[in-house]
Amino acid sequence: MVLLVSTLIKFFVFGLCFALGLAALLTWMERRQSAYGQDRLGPTRAHFMTLFGKPFVLFGLFHIVADSLKMFFKEPVVPANADRPVYKLAPLIGFVTSMMILALLPFGPDLSTPWGVIPLQIARLDAGVLIIFAIGSLGVYGAALAGWASNNRFALLGALRASAQSVSYEISLGLTVVGLLIFYGTTELSAIVGAQAGLLVGPLPAWGFFYQPLAAVLFFVAATAETKRTPFDLPEGESEIVGYFLEYSSMGFGLFMLGEFIEIVILAGLFTTLFLGGWQWPWLIGETSTALDPFFLWLGFADVSWVRPILGMLVFMTKVFFICALQLQIRWTLPRFRYDQLMRLGWKTLLPLALVNIFVTAVLVWWDPTGAILAWAGLGLILFFALVVVAGPRKATPHVAHGH
C-alpha cells in the first residue's frame, strides 16, 4: 500500500506537475524567447481583465490557458476515408511513450520516511537505459500511423520523412551512451547518477560530461534530431513542408504539439541524468547531508533528513529547465537543414564519431579502470574544442577605403 501511494504521489509531482507543467510553460517560452531574440512584442493578446485601463496580459502567460481551452473545445474534423481507430490512436502513442520514459528518470536522492526508504524515481529498473531506448523507439509509430491513417498522400510523405529521420538518428543516439555504460559498468540510471558524485579535478564535478564530452555533444545533436526540433524539424516544417499531422485538428493536433514539448523535457532530463550529474551538485549536496543542514538546524528543525531530497529535486529541475531553454534558443538561432544534409550528418558524421568514441573509451578504460586517463582525455578534448572555437580561423574581411 505504501509503495502504491508513494508511486502515485511521485507520478503526480514529477510527471504531471513538473513535466507537463514545464511542457506547457515551454509553449509560452517559445514565443517570448523568440520575441526577445527578434525584437518583437511576443504574446500580448490573451487576457481576461483590464488594469489601469490596459489589458492585463501578465507577460503573455494567459496564452497557455487560451491554447488549452482552444484545443479542448475546437471541433475535431476526421477525414471521411480515414482509418478512424488508427487515426485516433496515433496522437496518443508519442504522448504515452514520453510519459513512460519520464517514469525511469531519477529526480532526487532517496527519501527516508517512517515507512521506509522511498526512491525519488517512479520506476527503478536495472536495465533503465536500455528500456528507455526500447520505449523511445516506439514513438516513431505515432508519426507513421498518423500519416498512413489520414489517407492523405502528403501526410504519408511527411510520415515517411519522420520515420526515416527517427530510425537514422536512433542508431547514433544509442551508440553515444555506450561509452558511459562501459565506464560506469551499469545501465541503472540512479547508479549512474550516484557515480557522478564528488569532484574530478579542482572545482570540476565528476560529471559524465567531463569523462565523455564528445559523447555528450553527439547525444545532444542526435536527441534533438530524434525529437524533430529545429534545425532537424523537416517532418514538422509546416511553413514549407506538409507534415504528418496535416489532417489533425482540435486535441489530436494538440497532443502532437504537447508530445513535442514533453520530448524536450525528456531530452533535458536524460541529458542531465547521464552527463550533468542528475541531482548532484558539488559542495552543496553530499553523501548523507547538505551544506544547508546547519542553517535549518539553527532555525529549530530537529530532523533535517528531508532537506537533501528536496534540494536534490530543485537542482535536477533547475538543470532540466536550463537545458530546455538552450534547446529553444537553438531553434531560433540555426536554419533548417535540407533533407540530404540531415541524412549525411546522421550516417556519415554522427555514426562514425560514435563508433570512434566507443573504441577509444574501451581502450582507455581497459588501460586504466579507475577512469583517470579517461578524465584527462575528456578534459583535453574540451580544451581543444574551446581553442578551436576561440582561436579558430576567421574569414578575413577586405578593407574598403573611405569613399569607394
Side-chain angles (χ1 to χ4, degrees):
M1 185 63 182
V2 175
L3 179 61
L4 176 61
V5 173
S6 63
T7 301
L8 292 177
I9 293 175
K10 288 184 288 186
F11 176 75
F12 176 77
V13 173
F14 182 65
L16 297 182
C17 294
F18 174 70
L20 285 180
L22 181 57
L25 182 65
L26 290 178
T27 63
W28 170 81
M29 286 180 58
E30 188 91 80
R31 301 167 177 174
R32 176 59 64 181
Q33 192 169 344
S34 63
Y36 279 126
Q38 299 173 355
D39 195 20
R40 295 186 289 104
L41 294 178
T44 58
R45 295 294 183 181
H47 66 280
F48 69 96
M49 61 178 294
T50 58
L51 189 64
F52 301 111
K54 294 183 179 180
F56 181 63
V57 297
L58 194 62
F59 306 104
L61 286 172
F62 293 125
H63 279 258
I64 300 175
V65 181
D67 288 340
S68 303
L69 294 176
K70 178 177 65 175
M71 294 298 178
F72 273 115
F73 292 103
K74 227 177 180 183
E75 179 185 3
V77 179
V78 181
N81 297 323
D83 190 333
R84 297 181 70 90
V86 179
Y87 177 87
K88 294 183 177 181
L89 176 65
L92 294 173
I93 294 178
F95 180 79
V96 172
T97 53
S98 300
M99 298 302 294
M100 292 174 66
I101 293 176
L102 282 173
L104 299 172
L105 298 180
F107 55 92
D110 294 347
L111 175 64
S112 298
T113 66
W115 304 279
V117 177
I118 299 177
L120 292 186
Q121 188 177 3
I122 299 175
R124 178 166 292 179
L125 302 175
D126 292 337
V129 175
L130 302 180
I131 295 177
I132 282 180
F133 286 115
I135 296 175
S137 64
L138 300 176
V140 67
Y141 287 99
L145 292 178
W148 180 80
S150 298
N151 196 23
N152 184 299
R153 291 182 178 86
F154 294 103
L156 181 60
L157 289 174
L160 292 175
R161 280 195 300 268
S163 302
Q165 178 173 325
S166 297
V167 172
S168 300
Y169 280 85
E170 276 177 6
I171 300 174
S172 301
L173 186 65
L175 291 176
T176 54
V177 185
V178 175
L180 280 177
L181 302 184
I182 293 174
F183 174 62
Y184 291 124
T186 179
T187 57
E188 207 278 297
L189 290 170
S190 61
I192 293 177
V193 173
Q196 300 179 62
L199 298 175
L200 181 62
V201 177
L204 294 179
W207 292 349
F209 176 79
F210 296 104
Y211 287 99
Q212 293 277 280
L214 179 60
V217 174
L218 297 179
F219 180 90
F220 189 86
V221 174
T224 304
E226 185 69 15
T227 56
K228 300 180 288 295
R229 296 284 298 175
T230 306
F232 308 101
D233 63 334
L234 278 83
E236 300 178 356
E238 64 275 1
S239 61
E240 305 168 9
I241 308 169
V242 178
Y244 55 87
F245 46 76
L246 170 66
E247 297 290 354
Y248 281 87
S249 61
S250 185
M251 205 55 205
F253 178 82
L255 283 176
F256 278 120
M257 293 296 101
L258 184 61
E260 176 182 329
F261 284 101
I262 291 179
E263 288 176 351
I264 297 176
V265 178
I266 290 173
L267 166 58
L270 193 56
F271 187 85
T272 300
T273 301
L274 296 175
F275 297 101
L276 297 183
W279 46 266
Q280 303 276 5
W281 193 267
W283 299 305
L284 184 61
I285 303 176
E287 293 293 333
T288 58
S289 61
T290 70
L292 298 181
D293 286 354
F295 173 73
F296 286 98
L297 289 173
W298 176 75
L299 290 178
F301 290 92
D303 182 17
V304 293
S305 60
W306 52 271
V307 176
R308 187 168 178 267
I310 291 181
L311 197 60
M313 286 192 294
L314 293 177
V315 167
F316 179 80
M317 293 176 182
T318 302
K319 292 178 181 178
V320 170
F321 176 80
F322 279 105
I323 296 297
C324 290
L326 175 62
Q327 294 178 69
L328 299 188
Q329 185 62 37
I330 290 175
R331 165 165 189 172
W332 297 104
T333 304
L334 300 178
R336 180 181 298 142
F337 287 140
R338 295 195 316 263
Y339 203 80
D340 62 314
Q341 296 172 332
L342 177 80
M343 288 299 172
R344 188 184 306 117
L345 177 66
W347 289 105
K348 294 186 177 182
T349 304
L350 265 65
L351 181 59
L353 288 177
L355 293 174
V356 170
N357 181 74
I358 294 174
F359 176 77
V360 173
T361 302
V363 171
L364 294 180
V365 172
W366 170 78
W367 189 5
D368 181 14
T370 63
I373 297 179
L374 182 64
W376 285 110
L379 294 176
L381 188 59
I382 293 174
L383 180 61
F384 174 75
F385 286 159
L387 291 176
V388 169
V389 172
V390 174
R394 296 290 187 269
K395 184 178 180 180
T397 302
H399 177 71
V400 179
H402 181 70
H404 294 277

